[in-house]
Amino acid sequence: MAKVIKMFQTLRNNWKKTTVGIGLLTWGGNWLYGKHCDNLLRRAACQEAQVFGDEIILPHEQIKKATVFLNPAACKGKARSLFEKNAAPILHLSGLDVTVVKTDYEGQAKKLLELMENTDIIIIAGGDGTVQEVITGLLRRADEAAFSKIPIGFIPLGKSSTLSHTLYPESVSQVQHIIDATLSILKGETIPVDVLQIKGDKDQPVFAVTGLRWGAYRDAGAKVSKYWYLGPLKTKAAHFFNTLKGWPQKHPASLAYLGPTPRPPEEPEQKTGRPPLYIRLYKRLAQYWAPTVKEIPKEVTPEAWEDTQLSAIEFSITTQNRCLDLKRTEDFMNICIEPDTISKGEYIKRGSQKMLDPHLCPEGSQCLQASRCILQLPEDTGGSLAIDNEEYEAMPVEVRLLPRKLRFFCDSRKKEQMLQGAS
């Protein structure tokens, strides 16, 4: 008892060291407990993947091939470790023939997609930039009509993974999020995703699944990391210093656009067998003896383009992928033109909101719906365009919506929520 009393007296006399020690022990205990929980999640996911790997393959069937495009530089260089710890074991245990392609530099995925042979599944392991590179390389192929039907899996490993909010539910940890995404690929549930085709005057088209931004908020957001030493004030500092370059910041342009298009009903693919021989012979003879009918040329209805002049603090074009409605009857992209009449204080305040939701369209903005648009910029326009959070030189562009162009694997719970919301 005397030793216990002496120990408490020592702790009381050295209360500063005691406080620091208790804090370190608490932090260390929480860290170890978190690691233990992550290991339990990995073990449960591997056991679930093993069920898929134990399925019997019939003699006439082949093992499915999965090609993974991994960006090791994503998440500040941690993407490779995250993939090998949390996703790779699940994929290998599932019975897939997995090929991992690691990119070494920006733009390499586009070139590799041109050389890629047939595969059953494409898996993107990275962030928004990796997604954009892969789908751009995929849709630039000469045989993109066939390759665009290959289902695509997305394992979110990057700093910004916008599409993951559409495909998977929110998770308490990054490990859980990666595991849910990988298991969703094995379960095979898919949803159609719209794509934007963005074409400049010179280069080949670029494809995006989120959208395009141009304006003052995008320029300030790209410089936030320069003020890292200001801690939580870095976002407000970047937007404040941006107001010192000139105010109000106006971005004049001209816009021509077409309205929404009605969505045709999605018909399931039906494989019909070959008709009998006597039916084929009858059709051949009927085609041979029947007189040829001259086709009457159909009148082409001119497209109803609408033109508008704009002066905005920011201009954005986004798909509906973020709030996907699987039962909608029209296909369109959202155009947001934010007025340049706001004050500096409102600009700095809204800049913080834009960092959390880059495609936020605030009240008072002009909102348009279009299936195709042409954005013309003045010749001396500076700055950059942000296409799926990747920077491109500001230039006149034509943006075309490709509705339901690609199919992405998704969590079944998320798809059920979409269907319930649509109903």
Side-chain angles (χ1 to χ4, degrees), residues 34-35 37-43 45 82 85-87 90 155-156 171-182:
K35 290 293 182 182
C37 292
D38 290 344
N39 288 332
L40 293 178
L41 290 173
R42 296 186 185 105
R43 179 183 298 178
L82 289 171
K85 285 184 178 180
N86 305 298
I90 299 174
I155 301 177
S171 301
V172 294
S173 67
Q174 186 180 25
V175 173
Q176 179 71 66
H177 203 51
I178 295 171
I179 288 174
D180 288 344
T182 311

Side-chain angles (χ1 to χ4, degrees), residues 106-221:
E106 186 177 352
Q108 186 182 17
K110 299 176 187 177
K111 299 179 180 179
L112 294 174
L113 259 297
E114 298 176 1
L115 307 174
M116 186 182 69
E117 299 179 354
N118 291 335
T119 185
D120 298 306
I121 299 172
I122 296 174
I123 300 175
I124 305 170
D128 288 343
T130 314
V131 173
Q132 191 220 37
E133 281 195 27
V134 171
I135 66 169
T136 297
L138 179 69
L139 297 178
R140 282 181 181 177
R141 292 177 61 105
D143 55 351
E144 61 86 16
F147 266 77
S148 61
K149 296 180 181 179
I150 298 175
I152 301 173
F154 177 45
I155 301 177
L157 302 178
K159 183 179 179 182
S160 59
S161 302
T162 308
L163 193 59
S164 66
H165 301 293
T166 301
L167 302 176
Y168 315 116
E170 295 293 332
S171 301
V172 294
S173 67
Q174 186 180 25
V175 173
Q176 179 71 66
H177 203 51
I178 295 171
I179 288 174
D180 288 344
T182 311
L183 289 175
S184 298
I185 297 172
L186 306 183
K187 295 175 182 178
E189 199 72 58
T190 62
I191 56 172
V193 171
D194 295 343
V195 176
L196 296 182
Q197 176 184 295
I198 304 169
K199 188 175 183 180
D201 296 334
K202 303 177 183 178
D203 299 331
Q204 290 181 296
V206 174
F207 297 88
V209 293
T210 304
L212 172 150
R213 292 176 65 201
W214 171 60
Y217 292 112
R218 191 226 68 85
D219 295 340

Side-chain angles (χ1 to χ4, degrees), residues 4 14 275 365 408:
V4 175
N14 299 275
S365 303
F408 274 77

